[in-house]
Amino acid sequence: MSDSVTLTIDEQTVAVPAGTTLLKAAQQLGEEIPTICFHDHCTANALCRSCVVEVEGARTLVASCVAQATQGMKVHTRSEKVERSRRTILEMLDSAVDLSEAPEILSMIEDYGADRERFPGAERREVPLLDDNPMYIRDYSKCVLCWRCVQVCAEDAQYTYAINFEGRGFETQIGTFFDKPMPETTCVFCGQCVGVCPTGALKPKREFMLDQGIAPADLGVMSSGRKRRKRTLAQP
Ligand code: SF4
């Protein structure tokens, strides 16, 4: 088997090592495919579908974060079909989730000309903010279910398994087992989940309190908390 494959992406030819994903092959050409759930330090999971591309001969659009380049493939990253699909995903997300602190997604909405009023009256994900520990808050009304926090809490980084998906369909959200407060779970407050969250759904307690207009001098919260985190993965 050859070690490299040659394909065309948006009419440009590129050779990449076998096993390279279409997302990475496009990046090699300087083409940026938009992503939401993808993070360089997490296992790609193709959940958000914003990175879909059109492959000639394929029946459906394929998620470029997991689809591998093959010899002779012809890929289109911004065809009309692709743009319509991405636009619809953004419109659906915007109709249900508070994206006010998700700058990358807001810029995608702008870039794709997503209609923010396309689904008027749609049910919104409105859940109470969870403030149950001294280190970070959880505001799942801002959660796009990208799964990054669950992945870094598990095999992608920390092997702690404090959080997971719970619920079904529209009610799906991230939570702890039996909805236990975070201090009663296996959470070690490493901060990995906060570091990879793209939407502000997870936020350091100090930042949250400053957002509420509480003066830095009045913030005693960090000194009374547990030890500071070991390391935090950077945003992509
Ligand atoms: S809380 Fe943040 S990182 Fe976790 S699934 Fe929601 S948006 Fe993604």
Side-chain angles (χ1 to χ4, degrees), residues 48 81 89 156 171 196 212 220 223 225:
C48 73
K81 206 188 221 181
I89 287 165
D156 280 345
E171 306 300 323
V196 295
Q212 305 301 302
S223 55

Side-chain angles (χ1 to χ4, degrees), residues 130-138 181-183 187 189 205 221:
L130 295 169
D131 180 8
D132 59 7
N133 70 83
M135 304 304 281
Y136 61 93
I137 57 93
R138 294 179 286 149
M182 204 52 82
C187 179
F189 299 97
K205 187 75 168 277
V221 62

Side-chain angles (χ1 to χ4, degrees), residues 135 189-190 206 222 225-231:
M135 304 304 281
F189 299 97
C190 65
R206 176 173 286 257
M222 294 300 278
R226 301 188 189 188
K227 273 175 76 176
R228 296 295 295 271
R229 57 182 176 263
K230 294 186 293 194
R231 67 189 173 95

Side-chain angles (χ1 to χ4, degrees), residues 3-175:
D3 286 333
S4 81
V5 293
T6 302
L7 66 158
T8 63
I9 300 179
D10 297 337
E11 318 304 333
Q12 299 179 80
T13 303
V14 63
V16 293
T20 302
T21 63
L22 296 179
L23 181 69
K24 293 293 175 191
Q27 283 173 355
Q28 196 167 309
L29 286 169
E31 301 235 4
E32 278 304 319
I33 295 176
T35 58
I36 296 175
C37 64
F38 181 80
H39 187 290
D40 270 327
H41 295 285
C42 295
T43 307
N45 55 32
L47 276 175
C48 73
R49 313 303 291 181
S50 62
C51 72
V52 290
V53 294
E54 189 167 359
V55 175
E56 288 187 19
R59 201 168 48 84
T60 59
L61 298 178
V62 301
S64 64
C65 66
V66 292
Q68 294 183 1
T70 59
Q71 182 64 31
M73 205 178 224
K74 288 189 171 58
V75 181
H76 304 280
T77 69
R78 286 202 74 150
S79 66
E80 203 245 322
K81 206 188 221 181
V82 165
E83 296 222 345
R84 194 169 55 234
S85 169
R86 288 183 190 150
R87 194 158 45 242
T88 303
I89 287 165
L90 291 166
E91 287 165 345
M92 290 170 77
L93 267 184
D94 194 38
S95 75
V97 181
D98 174 3
L99 299 174
S100 59
E101 295 188 51
E104 287 152 357
I105 303 177
L106 289 174
S107 123
M108 284 167 64
I109 286 175
E110 187 84 11
D111 190 21
Y112 284 86
D115 177 1
R116 306 195 69 175
E117 304 300 326
R118 176 151 178 215
F119 300 109
E123 190 177 353
R124 293 190 66 78
R125 183 188 301 281
E126 280 165 351
V127 289
L129 183 141
L130 295 169
D131 180 8
D132 59 7
N133 70 83
M135 304 304 281
Y136 61 93
I137 57 93
R138 294 179 286 149
D139 181 359
Y140 291 128
S141 55
K142 294 188 172 75
C143 175
V144 292
L145 293 172
C146 67
W147 210 0
R148 291 180 187 185
C149 57
V150 175
Q151 288 180 293
V152 293
C153 192
E155 287 93 345
D156 280 345
Q158 198 66 25
Y159 286 84
T160 298
Y161 305 97
I163 47 176
N164 210 329
F165 275 125
E166 61 178 31
R168 290 281 182 277
F170 191 79
E171 306 300 323
T172 305
Q173 73 170 54
I174 309 297

Side-chain angles (χ1 to χ4, degrees), residues 169-215:
F170 191 79
E171 306 300 323
T172 305
Q173 73 170 54
I174 309 297
T176 60
F177 290 110
F178 303 111
D179 281 333
K180 293 274 188 199
M182 204 52 82
E184 293 177 31
T185 71
T186 51
C187 179
V188 294
F189 299 97
C190 65
Q192 312 263 24
C193 56
V194 179
V196 295
C197 179
T199 64
L202 305 177
K203 187 181 283 186
K205 187 75 168 277
R206 176 173 286 257
E207 186 183 334
F208 171 70
M209 293 176 83
L210 288 170
D211 286 352
Q212 305 301 302
I214 297 168

